[in-house]
Amino acid sequence: TELLGAGDLLRPWNFAGAFASVPSKVTWNVVQPVRLATLDRRFALSVAPWPEVSAGLMDRIVQRSRWLAFQLAVCHV
């Protein structure tokens, strides 16, 4: 279970369920109204002249990864 909030980035189409050693299933539940943006190929091409935008998004991805690692560590304590 993961709770997402403002500013979180994720790639929901990257799911290794078919290749995982343990079968799993992904479901989504929205508990409050949400606003989201699809950052697709068109977006990437549009912001290509400004690498700072992509760098900022990568910072958010790394921050989320570290937060998930922290949560996992806390769960194991």
Side-chain angles (χ1 to χ4, degrees), residues 24-55:
S24 61
K25 178 181 162 186
V26 173
T27 59
W28 296 80
N29 296 307
V30 179
V31 295
Q32 289 189 356
V34 66
R35 224 172 70 177
L36 60 95
T38 303
L39 307 181
D40 56 7
R41 178 178 169 76
R42 190 173 127 223
F43 170 81
L45 292 172
S46 299
V47 300
W50 302 280
E52 298 83 6
V53 174
S54 295

Side-chain angles (χ1 to χ4, degrees), residues 34-77:
V34 66
R35 224 172 70 177
L36 60 95
T38 303
L39 307 181
D40 56 7
R41 178 178 169 76
R42 190 173 127 223
F43 170 81
L45 292 172
S46 299
V47 300
W50 302 280
E52 298 83 6
V53 174
S54 295
L57 293 172
M58 289 297 151
D59 288 346
R60 293 295 303 179
I61 291 169
V62 169
Q63 187 178 33
R64 181 166 175 255
S65 173
R66 288 180 179 159
W67 176 246
L68 288 172
F70 172 76
Q71 286 180 316
L72 184 60
V74 169
C75 287
H76 282 20
V77 171

